[in-house]
Coordinates of all heavy atoms in Angstrom, one line a residue:
P21 N -65.2 50.0 -3.0 CA -66.3 50.9 -2.6 C -67.6 50.6 -3.4 O -67.5 50.1 -4.6 CB -65.8 52.3 -2.8 CG -64.7 52.2 -3.8 CD -64.1 50.8 -3.6
V22 N -68.7 51.0 -2.8 CA -70.0 50.7 -3.5 C -70.1 51.4 -4.8 O -70.8 50.8 -5.7 CB -71.2 51.1 -2.5 CG1 -71.1 52.6 -2.2 CG2 -72.5 50.7 -3.0
E23 N -69.5 52.5 -5.0 CA -69.6 53.2 -6.3 C -69.0 52.3 -7.4 O -69.6 52.2 -8.5 CB -68.9 54.5 -6.2 CG -68.9 55.3 -7.5 CD -68.1 56.6 -7.5 OE1 -67.6 56.9 -6.4 OE2 -67.9 57.2 -8.5
T24 N -67.9 51.7 -7.1 CA -67.3 50.8 -8.1 C -68.1 49.6 -8.3 O -68.2 49.1 -9.4 CB -65.8 50.5 -7.7 OG1 -65.1 51.7 -7.5 CG2 -65.1 49.6 -8.7
L25 N -68.7 49.0 -7.3 CA -69.6 47.9 -7.4 C -70.7 48.2 -8.3 O -71.1 47.4 -9.2 CB -70.0 47.4 -6.0 CG -69.0 47.0 -5.0 CD1 -69.6 46.7 -3.7 CD2 -68.2 45.8 -5.6
K26 N -71.4 49.3 -8.1 CA -72.5 49.7 -9.0 C -72.1 49.9 -10.4 O -72.8 49.5 -11.3 CB -73.1 51.0 -8.4 CG -73.9 50.9 -7.1 CD -74.6 52.2 -6.8 CE -75.5 52.0 -5.6 NZ -76.2 53.3 -5.2
F27 N -70.9 50.4 -10.6 CA -70.3 50.6 -11.9 C -70.1 49.3 -12.6 O -70.5 49.1 -13.8 CB -69.0 51.4 -11.9 CG -68.2 51.3 -13.1 CD1 -68.5 52.0 -14.2 CD2 -67.0 50.5 -13.1 CE1 -67.7 52.0 -15.4 CE2 -66.3 50.4 -14.3 CZ -66.6 51.1 -15.4
A28 N -69.5 48.3 -11.9 CA -69.3 47.0 -12.5 C -70.6 46.3 -12.8 O -70.7 45.6 -13.9 CB -68.5 46.2 -11.5
I29 N -71.6 46.4 -11.9 CA -72.9 45.7 -12.2 C -73.5 46.3 -13.5 O -74.0 45.6 -14.3 CB -73.8 45.8 -11.0 CG1 -73.3 45.0 -9.8 CG2 -75.2 45.4 -11.4 CD1 -74.0 45.2 -8.5
S30 N -73.5 47.7 -13.6 CA -74.1 48.3 -14.7 C -73.4 47.9 -16.0 O -74.0 47.7 -17.0 CB -74.0 49.9 -14.5 OG -74.4 50.5 -15.7
Q31 N -72.0 47.9 -16.0 CA -71.3 47.5 -17.2 C -71.6 46.0 -17.6 O -71.8 45.7 -18.7 CB -69.8 47.6 -16.9 CG -69.3 49.1 -16.8 CD -68.9 49.7 -18.1 OE1 -68.0 49.2 -18.8 NE2 -69.6 50.7 -18.5
F32 N -71.7 45.2 -16.6 CA -72.0 43.8 -16.8 C -73.4 43.6 -17.5 O -73.6 42.9 -18.5 CB -71.9 43.0 -15.5 CG -72.6 41.6 -15.6 CD1 -72.1 40.6 -16.4 CD2 -73.8 41.4 -14.9 CE1 -72.7 39.4 -16.5 CE2 -74.4 40.2 -15.0 CZ -73.9 39.2 -15.8
E33 N -74.3 44.3 -16.9 CA -75.7 44.2 -17.4 C -75.9 44.9 -18.8 O -76.8 44.5 -19.5 CB -76.7 44.8 -16.4 CG -76.8 44.1 -15.1 CD -77.7 44.7 -14.1 OE1 -78.1 45.9 -14.3 OE2 -78.1 44.0 -13.1
T34 N -75.0 45.9 -19.1 CA -75.2 46.6 -20.4 C -74.3 45.9 -21.4 O -74.7 45.7 -22.6 CB -74.8 48.0 -20.2 OG1 -75.6 48.6 -19.2 CG2 -75.0 48.8 -21.5
Y35 N -73.0 45.6 -21.1 CA -72.1 45.1 -22.1 C -71.6 43.7 -21.9 O -70.8 43.2 -22.7 CB -70.9 46.1 -22.1 CG -71.2 47.5 -22.3 CD1 -71.1 48.4 -21.3 CD2 -71.7 48.0 -23.5 CE1 -71.5 49.8 -21.4 CE2 -72.0 49.3 -23.7 CZ -71.9 50.2 -22.7 OH -72.3 51.5 -22.8
G36 N -71.9 43.1 -20.8 CA -71.4 41.8 -20.5 C -70.1 41.8 -19.7 O -69.5 40.7 -19.4
G37 N -69.5 43.0 -19.5 CA -68.3 43.1 -18.8 C -67.8 44.6 -18.8 O -68.5 45.4 -19.5
I38 N -66.8 44.9 -18.1 CA -66.3 46.3 -18.1 C -65.5 46.6 -19.3 O -64.6 45.9 -19.7 CB -65.4 46.5 -16.8 CG1 -66.2 46.3 -15.5 CG2 -64.8 47.9 -16.8 CD1 -65.4 46.4 -14.3
I39 N -66.0 47.6 -20.0 CA -65.3 48.0 -21.3 C -64.4 49.2 -21.0 O -64.9 50.2 -20.5 CB -66.4 48.4 -22.3 CG1 -67.4 47.3 -22.5 CG2 -65.7 48.8 -23.7 CD1 -66.8 46.0 -23.0
R40 N -63.1 49.1 -21.3 CA -62.2 50.1 -21.1 C -61.5 50.5 -22.4 O -61.3 49.7 -23.3 CB -61.1 49.7 -20.1 CG -61.6 49.3 -18.7 CD -60.5 49.0 -17.8 NE -61.0 48.6 -16.5 CZ -61.3 47.4 -16.1 NH1 -61.2 46.4 -16.9 NH2 -61.7 47.2 -14.9
P41 N -61.1 51.8 -22.6 CA -60.5 52.2 -23.8 C -59.0 51.6 -23.9 O -58.3 51.6 -22.9 CB -60.4 53.7 -23.7 CG -60.4 54.0 -22.2 CD -61.3 52.9 -21.6
A42 N -58.6 51.2 -25.1 CA -57.3 50.7 -25.3 C -56.4 51.9 -25.8 O -56.3 52.2 -27.0 CB -57.3 49.6 -26.4
I43 N -55.8 52.6 -24.8 CA -55.1 53.8 -25.2 C -53.7 53.4 -25.8 O -53.1 52.4 -25.4 CB -54.9 54.7 -24.0 CG1 -54.1 54.0 -22.8 CG2 -56.2 55.2 -23.5 CD1 -53.8 54.9 -21.7
D44 N -53.2 54.2 -26.7 CA -51.9 53.9 -27.3 C -50.8 54.9 -26.9 O -50.0 55.4 -27.7 CB -52.1 54.0 -28.8 CG -52.9 55.2 -29.3 OD1 -53.2 56.1 -28.5 OD2 -53.2 55.3 -30.5

């Protein structure tokens, strides 16, 4: 969906990739 596409583009432009928490 477009919402996820916008999220991925924003993450790429801000951080260079999608940043996710490494939960333990």
Side-chain angles (χ1 to χ4, degrees):
V22 63
E23 179 184 354
T24 301
L25 299 177
K26 288 183 173 182
F27 164 76
I29 291 171
S30 175
Q31 289 272 299
F32 163 68
E33 293 179 345
T34 305
Y35 306 108
I38 297 177
I39 307 299
R40 300 183 179 92
I43 61 173
D44 46 6

